Amino acid sequence: MKVLGIDTSNTPLGLALADGNVVKGEWITNVKKDHSLRAMPAIESLFRQCGMAPKDLDLIVVAKGPGSYTGVRIGVTIAKTLAWSLGIPIAGVSSLEVLAANGRCFSGLIVPLFDARRGHIYTGLYHSDGSVLRQLEPDQLVVADEWARRLGERGEDVLFIGADVLLYHELFQRVLGGRAHMAPPSLALPRPSELVMLGKEKERRNAHTFVPDYLRLAEAEVKWLAKQKGERNDGDRCTISANDHS
């Protein structure tokens, strides 16, 4: 089975090509540049370097979020377009699960995280027996202070993984003390090769029915819904006022 993995859900751009259990090529960059401009040229380059072509693919695996709303959308759109044009299925993997896979050799709790701004983080809780990764709590958007408190109550060693861990390093050290462990920089970025291997075990989906997992609405959607709610409330007040005068 030949598989293409695509991850544009956060700042890193990650791509991988695999043939069965052999990773043929992997591409990772960690720069704040527009994924919409860089992803397709990078995919084409990876195919050339690995001596493969899109028509060889049997499956496309994509990081389905959470993360940057725009980033998630770019990767999912590329994956769905390629899958539809090639007539092959698509599989989605949590962006947090991909990151958690970097800690599969840690014996305690594994906590991947992405900064979600305003003191919030996207995170989840995982554990590994050294090979198989198991999810203990669903991925979630949570206040970092609250998450630290909940982890502290478990009384177990915790490995925090991700480039954004540095933003919350002091918080986790204060709450968990010596039970808080920070993954080294070499493990801070999600590996697209892990994405591919995890995705091979996930449910196959039709390109038309596949949806990403943002965990929350985009800021523009939140503002639009608030505006709609305000307009409805204004309409209700106008109706009440009209009835009062009748």
Side-chain angles (χ1 to χ4, degrees):
M1 173 180 286
K2 294 180 174 61
V3 185
L4 169 66
I6 304 171
D7 186 354
T8 64
S9 58
N10 288 277
T11 300
L13 167 61
L15 306 168
L17 277 171
D19 185 354
N21 290 324
V22 177
V23 177
K24 306 296 288 186
E26 187 171 34
W27 176 302
I28 308 174
T29 59
N30 186 33
V31 291
K32 291 186 177 180
K33 292 186 178 180
D34 192 342
H35 292 329
S36 65
L37 299 177
R38 300 173 61 242
M40 282 308 300
I43 290 172
E44 293 171 358
S45 176
L46 186 61
F47 272 120
R48 286 197 304 272
Q49 294 178 45
C50 294
M52 295 173 61
K55 63 180 177 60
D56 299 324
L57 295 176
D58 301 295
L59 175 69
I60 295 177
V61 179
V62 64
K64 64 178 182 178
S68 157
Y69 179 83
T70 301
V72 172
R73 185 174 56 189
I74 290 170
V76 169
T77 299
I78 292 174
K80 292 179 69 170
T81 301
L82 286 174
W84 176 80
S85 64
L86 296 169
I88 60 176
I90 185 173
V93 182
S94 158
S95 302
L96 288 164
E97 183 179 358
V98 177
L99 188 55
N102 288 353
R104 67 171 71 248
C105 294
F106 186 73
S107 60
L109 301 175
I110 303 169
V111 174
L113 68 85
F114 305 124
D115 181 42
R117 297 186 296 180
R118 300 186 180 93
H120 288 72
I121 56 175
Y122 295 116
T123 190
L125 191 63
Y126 295 80
H127 182 268
S128 173
D129 61 5
S131 58
V132 179
L133 196 64
R134 183 165 59 94
Q135 187 177 47
L136 301 182
E137 285 197 28
D139 294 343
Q140 56 199 277
L141 173 66
V142 64
V143 176
D145 288 341
E146 168 65 13
W147 185 238
R149 182 190 63 77
R150 287 164 54 186
L151 291 173
E153 291 175 350
R154 285 179 169 266
E156 299 180 59
D157 281 3
V158 181
L159 178 66
F160 295 93
I161 303 181
D164 295 332
V165 166
L166 289 176
L167 299 174
Y168 300 94
H169 177 273
E170 292 184 3
L171 167 64
F172 296 138
Q173 289 283 7
R174 185 176 70 251
V175 177
L176 279 77
R179 289 182 282 110
H181 307 271
M182 310 300 159
S186 59
L187 298 179
L189 302 182
R191 295 290 302 271
S193 53
E194 290 282 8
L195 168 66
V196 165
M197 295 304 166
L198 290 168
K200 288 167 58 179
E201 306 303 320
K202 302 296 184 181
E203 178 185 2
R204 273 44 167 180
R205 301 291 300 276
N206 181 284
H208 294 292
T209 60
F210 182 84
V211 293
D213 187 1
Y214 297 113
L215 286 188
R216 72 174 177 185
L217 295 175
E219 190 169 346
E221 291 178 302
V222 172
K223 291 180 178 179
W224 183 84
L225 289 173
K227 181 180 178 182
Q228 298 303 307
K229 182 178 180 181
E231 290 177 352
R232 286 197 298 270
N233 289 340
D234 288 342
D236 291 342
R237 284 195 292 270
C238 289
T239 301
I240 293 171
S241 177
N243 290 336
D244 287 344
H245 287 291
S246 60

PDB file of all heavy atoms in Angstrom, residues 220-242:
ATOM      1  N   ALA A 220     -13.785  34.185  13.080  1.00  0.00           N
ATOM      2  CA  ALA A 220     -14.738  34.865  12.200  1.00  0.00           C
ATOM      3  C   ALA A 220     -16.135  34.277  12.344  1.00  0.00           C
ATOM      4  O   ALA A 220     -17.135  35.002  12.314  1.00  0.00           O
ATOM      5  CB  ALA A 220     -14.264  34.766  10.748  1.00  0.00           C
ATOM      6  N   GLU A 221     -16.211  32.935  12.513  1.00  0.00           N
ATOM      7  CA  GLU A 221     -17.508  32.281  12.676  1.00  0.00           C
ATOM      8  C   GLU A 221     -18.147  32.668  14.005  1.00  0.00           C
ATOM      9  O   GLU A 221     -19.358  32.868  14.097  1.00  0.00           O
ATOM     10  CB  GLU A 221     -17.347  30.770  12.592  1.00  0.00           C
ATOM     11  CG  GLU A 221     -16.988  30.262  11.208  1.00  0.00           C
ATOM     12  CD  GLU A 221     -16.796  28.762  11.191  1.00  0.00           C
ATOM     13  OE1 GLU A 221     -15.937  28.275  11.935  1.00  0.00           O
ATOM     14  OE2 GLU A 221     -17.523  28.083  10.449  1.00  0.00           O
ATOM     15  N   VAL A 222     -17.315  32.754  15.057  1.00  0.00           N
ATOM     16  CA  VAL A 222     -17.822  33.152  16.371  1.00  0.00           C
ATOM     17  C   VAL A 222     -18.436  34.544  16.297  1.00  0.00           C
ATOM     18  O   VAL A 222     -19.529  34.800  16.817  1.00  0.00           O
ATOM     19  CB  VAL A 222     -16.696  33.116  17.423  1.00  0.00           C
ATOM     20  CG1 VAL A 222     -17.184  33.720  18.738  1.00  0.00           C
ATOM     21  CG2 VAL A 222     -16.211  31.696  17.643  1.00  0.00           C
ATOM     22  N   LYS A 223     -17.727  35.471  15.636  1.00  0.00           N
ATOM     23  CA  LYS A 223     -18.234  36.840  15.520  1.00  0.00           C
ATOM     24  C   LYS A 223     -19.513  36.878  14.696  1.00  0.00           C
ATOM     25  O   LYS A 223     -20.451  37.618  15.008  1.00  0.00           O
ATOM     26  CB  LYS A 223     -17.168  37.729  14.889  1.00  0.00           C
ATOM     27  CG  LYS A 223     -15.960  37.973  15.784  1.00  0.00           C
ATOM     28  CD  LYS A 223     -14.928  38.857  15.101  1.00  0.00           C
ATOM     29  CE  LYS A 223     -13.753  39.122  16.022  1.00  0.00           C
ATOM     30  NZ  LYS A 223     -12.718  39.964  15.369  1.00  0.00           N
ATOM     31  N   TRP A 224     -19.572  36.057  13.636  1.00  0.00           N
ATOM     32  CA  TRP A 224     -20.758  36.031  12.785  1.00  0.00           C
ATOM     33  C   TRP A 224     -21.961  35.509  13.559  1.00  0.00           C
ATOM     34  O   TRP A 224     -23.058  36.067  13.481  1.00  0.00           O
ATOM     35  CB  TRP A 224     -20.494  35.145  11.572  1.00  0.00           C
ATOM     36  CG  TRP A 224     -21.661  35.113  10.598  1.00  0.00           C
ATOM     37  CD1 TRP A 224     -21.945  36.002   9.613  1.00  0.00           C
ATOM     38  CD2 TRP A 224     -22.716  34.129  10.568  1.00  0.00           C
ATOM     39  NE1 TRP A 224     -23.090  35.640   8.953  1.00  0.00           N
ATOM     40  CE2 TRP A 224     -23.585  34.504   9.517  1.00  0.00           C
ATOM     41  CE3 TRP A 224     -22.984  32.989  11.310  1.00  0.00           C
ATOM     42  CZ2 TRP A 224     -24.722  33.753   9.207  1.00  0.00           C
ATOM     43  CZ3 TRP A 224     -24.111  32.255  10.991  1.00  0.00           C
ATOM     44  CH2 TRP A 224     -24.961  32.629   9.955  1.00  0.00           C
ATOM     45  N   LEU A 225     -21.763  34.415  14.336  1.00  0.00           N
ATOM     46  CA  LEU A 225     -22.856  33.861  15.132  1.00  0.00           C
ATOM     47  C   LEU A 225     -23.328  34.847  16.187  1.00  0.00           C
ATOM     48  O   LEU A 225     -24.528  34.965  16.451  1.00  0.00           O
ATOM     49  CB  LEU A 225     -22.408  32.546  15.790  1.00  0.00           C
ATOM     50  CG  LEU A 225     -22.240  31.356  14.841  1.00  0.00           C
ATOM     51  CD1 LEU A 225     -21.623  30.181  15.586  1.00  0.00           C
ATOM     52  CD2 LEU A 225     -23.574  30.957  14.235  1.00  0.00           C
ATOM     53  N   ALA A 226     -22.376  35.567  16.808  1.00  0.00           N
ATOM     54  CA  ALA A 226     -22.739  36.563  17.821  1.00  0.00           C
ATOM     55  C   ALA A 226     -23.562  37.682  17.185  1.00  0.00           C
ATOM     56  O   ALA A 226     -24.537  38.173  17.770  1.00  0.00           O
ATOM     57  CB  ALA A 226     -21.483  37.125  18.477  1.00  0.00           C
ATOM     58  N   LYS A 227     -23.161  38.052  15.971  1.00  0.00           N
ATOM     59  CA  LYS A 227     -23.900  39.100  15.266  1.00  0.00           C
ATOM     60  C   LYS A 227     -25.307  38.641  14.934  1.00  0.00           C
ATOM     61  O   LYS A 227     -26.281  39.390  15.102  1.00  0.00           O
ATOM     62  CB  LYS A 227     -23.155  39.477  13.982  1.00  0.00           C
ATOM     63  CG  LYS A 227     -23.841  40.583  13.183  1.00  0.00           C
ATOM     64  CD  LYS A 227     -23.060  40.898  11.921  1.00  0.00           C
ATOM     65  CE  LYS A 227     -23.770  41.977  11.106  1.00  0.00           C
ATOM     66  NZ  LYS A 227     -23.043  42.270   9.841  1.00  0.00           N
ATOM     67  N   GLN A 228     -25.430  37.380  14.463  1.00  0.00           N
ATOM     68  CA  GLN A 228     -26.744  36.848  14.132  1.00  0.00           C
ATOM     69  C   GLN A 228     -27.643  36.778  15.365  1.00  0.00           C
ATOM     70  O   GLN A 228     -28.828  37.106  15.316  1.00  0.00           O
ATOM     71  CB  GLN A 228     -26.617  35.447  13.512  1.00  0.00           C
ATOM     72  CG  GLN A 228     -25.840  35.417  12.209  1.00  0.00           C
ATOM     73  CD  GLN A 228     -26.430  36.334  11.161  1.00  0.00           C
ATOM     74  OE1 GLN A 228     -27.620  36.251  10.851  1.00  0.00           O
ATOM     75  NE2 GLN A 228     -25.613  37.221  10.628  1.00  0.00           N
ATOM     76  N   LYS A 229     -27.051  36.368  16.482  1.00  0.00           N
ATOM     77  CA  LYS A 229     -27.814  36.285  17.728  1.00  0.00           C
ATOM     78  C   LYS A 229     -28.283  37.665  18.147  1.00  0.00           C
ATOM     79  O   LYS A 229     -29.416  37.853  18.588  1.00  0.00           O
ATOM     80  CB  LYS A 229     -26.958  35.656  18.826  1.00  0.00           C
ATOM     81  CG  LYS A 229     -27.686  35.489  20.149  1.00  0.00           C
ATOM     82  CD  LYS A 229     -26.793  34.810  21.178  1.00  0.00           C
ATOM     83  CE  LYS A 229     -27.542  34.649  22.504  1.00  0.00           C
ATOM     84  NZ  LYS A 229     -26.672  33.996  23.530  1.00  0.00           N
ATOM     85  N   GLY A 230     -27.401  38.655  18.004  1.00  0.00           N
ATOM     86  CA  GLY A 230     -27.768  40.024  18.366  1.00  0.00           C
ATOM     87  C   GLY A 230     -28.893  40.554  17.509  1.00  0.00           C
ATOM     88  O   GLY A 230     -29.808  41.213  18.000  1.00  0.00           O
ATOM     89  N   GLU A 231     -28.840  40.221  16.200  1.00  0.00           N
ATOM     90  CA  GLU A 231     -29.896  40.685  15.301  1.00  0.00           C
ATOM     91  C   GLU A 231     -31.227  40.026  15.635  1.00  0.00           C
ATOM     92  O   GLU A 231     -32.281  40.665  15.583  1.00  0.00           O
ATOM     93  CB  GLU A 231     -29.503  40.395  13.856  1.00  0.00           C
ATOM     94  CG  GLU A 231     -28.349  41.266  13.357  1.00  0.00           C
ATOM     95  CD  GLU A 231     -27.923  40.909  11.952  1.00  0.00           C
ATOM     96  OE1 GLU A 231     -28.420  39.885  11.432  1.00  0.00           O
ATOM     97  OE2 GLU A 231     -27.105  41.636  11.371  1.00  0.00           O
ATOM     98  N   ARG A 232     -31.190  38.733  16.011  1.00  0.00           N
ATOM     99  CA  ARG A 232     -32.430  38.046  16.405  1.00  0.00           C
ATOM    100  C   ARG A 232     -33.011  38.656  17.669  1.00  0.00           C
ATOM    101  O   ARG A 232     -34.214  38.857  17.785  1.00  0.00           O
ATOM    102  CB  ARG A 232     -32.167  36.554  16.609  1.00  0.00           C
ATOM    103  CG  ARG A 232     -31.986  35.776  15.322  1.00  0.00           C
ATOM    104  CD  ARG A 232     -32.157  34.286  15.565  1.00  0.00           C
ATOM    105  NE  ARG A 232     -31.165  33.789  16.494  1.00  0.00           N
ATOM    106  CZ  ARG A 232     -29.981  33.325  16.129  1.00  0.00           C
ATOM    107  NH1 ARG A 232     -29.632  33.316  14.858  1.00  0.00           N
ATOM    108  NH2 ARG A 232     -29.127  32.867  17.034  1.00  0.00           N
ATOM    109  N   ASN A 233     -32.124  38.964  18.615  1.00  0.00           N
ATOM    110  CA  ASN A 233     -32.591  39.573  19.856  1.00  0.00           C
ATOM    111  C   ASN A 233     -33.208  40.942  19.607  1.00  0.00           C
ATOM    112  O   ASN A 233     -34.216  41.304  20.198  1.00  0.00           O
ATOM    113  CB  ASN A 233     -31.435  39.703  20.857  1.00  0.00           C
ATOM    114  CG  ASN A 233     -31.005  38.354  21.409  1.00  0.00           C
ATOM    115  OD1 ASN A 233     -31.758  37.390  21.345  1.00  0.00           O
ATOM    116  ND2 ASN A 233     -29.803  38.283  21.953  1.00  0.00           N
ATOM    117  N   ASP A 234     -32.603  41.701  18.690  1.00  0.00           N
ATOM    118  CA  ASP A 234     -33.150  43.013  18.344  1.00  0.00           C
ATOM    119  C   ASP A 234     -34.522  42.857  17.710  1.00  0.00           C
ATOM    120  O   ASP A 234     -35.453  43.624  17.979  1.00  0.00           O
ATOM    121  CB  ASP A 234     -32.214  43.747  17.370  1.00  0.00           C
ATOM    122  CG  ASP A 234     -30.941  44.235  18.059  1.00  0.00           C
ATOM    123  OD1 ASP A 234     -30.949  44.305  19.306  1.00  0.00           O
ATOM    124  OD2 ASP A 234     -29.955  44.537  17.351  1.00  0.00           O
ATOM    125  N   GLY A 235     -34.654  41.812  16.879  1.00  0.00           N
ATOM    126  CA  GLY A 235     -35.944  41.552  16.240  1.00  0.00           C
ATOM    127  C   GLY A 235     -37.007  41.193  17.254  1.00  0.00           C
ATOM    128  O   GLY A 235     -38.157  41.623  17.155  1.00  0.00           O
ATOM    129  N   ASP A 236     -36.628  40.413  18.267  1.00  0.00           N
ATOM    130  CA  ASP A 236     -37.564  40.033  19.314  1.00  0.00           C
ATOM    131  C   ASP A 236     -38.013  41.260  20.095  1.00  0.00           C
ATOM    132  O   ASP A 236     -39.190  41.411  20.420  1.00  0.00           O
ATOM    133  CB  ASP A 236     -36.909  39.027  20.273  1.00  0.00           C
ATOM    134  CG  ASP A 236     -36.674  37.685  19.607  1.00  0.00           C
ATOM    135  OD1 ASP A 236     -37.309  37.440  18.563  1.00  0.00           O
ATOM    136  OD2 ASP A 236     -35.850  36.907  20.131  1.00  0.00           O
ATOM    137  N   ARG A 237     -37.066  42.162  20.382  1.00  0.00           N
ATOM    138  CA  ARG A 237     -37.411  43.362  21.136  1.00  0.00           C
ATOM    139  C   ARG A 237     -38.357  44.242  20.340  1.00  0.00           C
ATOM    140  O   ARG A 237     -39.300  44.831  20.878  1.00  0.00           O
ATOM    141  CB  ARG A 237     -36.139  44.135  21.496  1.00  0.00           C
ATOM    142  CG  ARG A 237     -35.343  43.497  22.646  1.00  0.00           C
ATOM    143  CD  ARG A 237     -34.319  44.465  23.196  1.00  0.00           C
ATOM    144  NE  ARG A 237     -33.266  44.735  22.229  1.00  0.00           N
ATOM    145  CZ  ARG A 237     -32.150  44.033  22.129  1.00  0.00           C
ATOM    146  NH1 ARG A 237     -31.950  42.985  22.917  1.00  0.00           N
ATOM    147  NH2 ARG A 237     -31.221  44.349  21.230  1.00  0.00           N
ATOM    148  N   CYS A 238     -38.118  44.296  19.001  1.00  0.00           N
ATOM    149  CA  CYS A 238     -38.996  45.102  18.151  1.00  0.00           C
ATOM    150  C   CYS A 238     -40.411  44.518  18.141  1.00  0.00           C
ATOM    151  O   CYS A 238     -41.394  45.264  18.176  1.00  0.00           O
ATOM    152  CB  CYS A 238     -38.453  45.148  16.722  1.00  0.00           C
ATOM    153  SG  CYS A 238     -36.955  46.146  16.547  1.00  0.00           S
ATOM    154  N   THR A 239     -40.495  43.174  18.109  1.00  0.00           N
ATOM    155  CA  THR A 239     -41.799  42.517  18.096  1.00  0.00           C
ATOM    156  C   THR A 239     -42.542  42.788  19.394  1.00  0.00           C
ATOM    157  O   THR A 239     -43.728  43.092  19.396  1.00  0.00           O
ATOM    158  CB  THR A 239     -41.620  41.006  17.892  1.00  0.00           C
ATOM    159  OG1 THR A 239     -40.942  40.778  16.669  1.00  0.00           O
ATOM    160  CG2 THR A 239     -42.976  40.307  17.892  1.00  0.00           C
ATOM    161  N   ILE A 240     -41.820  42.659  20.506  1.00  0.00           N
ATOM    162  CA  ILE A 240     -42.432  42.906  21.811  1.00  0.00           C
ATOM    163  C   ILE A 240     -42.898  44.343  21.913  1.00  0.00           C
ATOM    164  O   ILE A 240     -44.001  44.636  22.383  1.00  0.00           O
ATOM    165  CB  ILE A 240     -41.426  42.581  22.941  1.00  0.00           C
ATOM    166  CG1 ILE A 240     -41.146  41.086  22.952  1.00  0.00           C
ATOM    167  CG2 ILE A 240     -41.963  43.040  24.283  1.00  0.00           C
ATOM    168  CD1 ILE A 240     -40.011  40.703  23.888  1.00  0.00           C
ATOM    169  N   SER A 241     -42.045  45.255  21.411  1.00  0.00           N
ATOM    170  CA  SER A 241     -42.401  46.672  21.496  1.00  0.00           C
ATOM    171  C   SER A 241     -43.637  46.952  20.681  1.00  0.00           C
ATOM    172  O   SER A 241     -44.539  47.682  21.095  1.00  0.00           O
ATOM    173  CB  SER A 241     -41.216  47.514  20.987  1.00  0.00           C
ATOM    174  OG  SER A 241     -41.549  48.875  20.988  1.00  0.00           O
ATOM    175  N   ALA A 242     -43.734  46.334  19.477  1.00  0.00           N
ATOM    176  CA  ALA A 242     -44.894  46.551  18.628  1.00  0.00           C
ATOM    177  C   ALA A 242     -46.154  46.019  19.274  1.00  0.00           C
ATOM    178  O   ALA A 242     -47.214  46.640  19.235  1.00  0.00           O
ATOM    179  CB  ALA A 242     -44.667  45.891  17.268  1.00  0.00           C
TER     180      ALA A 242
END
